[in-house]
Amino acid sequence: MEFFETYWLEILGTLSGLVCVWLLIKESVLTFPIGLLYAVITSVVVLEAQLYADLMLNLYFVLMNGYGWYFWILGAKERQVDGKLLVARVPGYELILAVVAIVLGTLATGFFFSAYTAADFAYWDSLTTVASFVAMWMTARKYLESWTLWFVIDVLQIALYAVKGSAGSPGLYFYSFLYSVYLWMAVLGWRSWSQNIVKQV
């Protein structure tokens, strides 16, 4: 892919990503169709950058945005008030399973991409990917803890995208900038959703 084409795709991905997260903070179900657009664009960009675990992640995001769209509108009727899905906390046993899944998933995926592909930063890329699998699931279920996990992921992604690059090409600076903004937005999201949980008690 030509540099100019990648450049504009990164800009469009950045903008759609920011809008998607802002709508998520506001608890708008429109976050999911915008998230679908972001996931498709980012899939193209990370494929070109040989970040294969990220490619797998964004294809998963396409599916989970569809699931979240459905769940926020029609799922968990016991958490619906006036047609709006309320924020909840992750049940304890699900939280334990999530931690185990992140550790084991990172080790397995990192080994695979390190041994059988030309992927750069195989284990770090795998950690952010597996953790994002879990965080997106939490988001689709509207769990408060999703924001905490996104915060950790954003810190790691800022570094990964900043240093990523092959000979003669720059790092993915637009995406590094995007995750810097995501970091700030994760704090806003946690604060907003926390206040909503308090209001529900």
Side-chain angles (χ1 to χ4, degrees):
M1 185 182 297
E2 295 293 332
F3 172 76
F4 184 76
E5 294 175 354
T6 303
Y7 177 83
W8 284 108
L9 278 176
E10 287 188 42
I11 291 177
L12 185 56
T14 299
L15 293 176
S16 60
L18 290 173
V19 171
C20 172
V21 178
W22 182 252
L23 290 171
L24 182 62
I25 292 172
K26 297 299 183 181
E27 300 182 52
S28 170
V29 73
L30 293 177
T31 185
F32 295 109
I34 301 299
L36 281 168
L37 174 63
Y38 169 73
V40 170
I41 293 171
T42 305
S43 294
V44 175
V45 172
V46 297
L47 175 61
E48 181 68 15
Q50 295 182 315
L51 289 173
Y52 300 123
D54 261 6
L55 173 62
M56 181 174 62
L57 171 66
N58 281 281
L59 293 176
Y60 166 79
F61 276 1
V62 172
L63 297 177
M64 288 304 294
N65 272 291
Y67 171 71
W69 200 349
Y70 160 80
F71 190 84
W72 280 36
I73 296 174
L74 300 174
K77 292 297 185 182
E78 71 280 2
R79 286 169 54 195
Q80 297 275 355
V81 173
D82 297 327
K84 181 178 180 180
L85 182 68
L86 299 180
V87 179
R89 291 189 176 276
V90 181
Y93 73 94
E94 291 185 20
L95 189 59
I96 293 172
L97 290 176
V99 172
V100 171
I102 290 172
V103 173
L104 296 181
T106 297
L107 293 175
T109 308
F111 173 79
F112 174 83
F113 284 115
S114 177
Y116 299 108
T117 75
D120 289 338
F121 308 105
Y123 282 94
W124 287 109
D125 189 23
S126 294
L127 172 58
T128 58
T129 297
V130 174
S132 295
F133 269 95
V134 175
M136 187 62 196
W137 171 77
M138 288 182 178
T139 299
R141 303 283 295 184
K142 209 169 186 181
Y143 288 144
L144 175 65
E145 289 81 0
S146 63
W147 290 112
T148 303
L149 189 51
W150 284 126
F151 182 91
V152 174
I153 293 165
D154 293 340
V155 171
L156 296 174
Q157 288 285 47
I158 290 168
L160 180 63
Y161 281 122
V163 302
K164 170 60 191 148
S166 58
S169 65
L172 300 177
Y173 296 120
F174 277 110
Y175 276 86
S176 184
F177 165 74
L178 177 61
Y179 278 94
S180 298
V181 178
Y182 280 168
L183 189 66
W184 170 68
M185 296 179 88
V187 175
L188 295 182
W190 186 87
R191 290 179 61 185
S192 176
W193 285 25
S194 293
Q195 292 170 358
N196 288 344
I197 282 186
V198 171
K199 292 176 183 176
Q200 294 165 25
V201 175

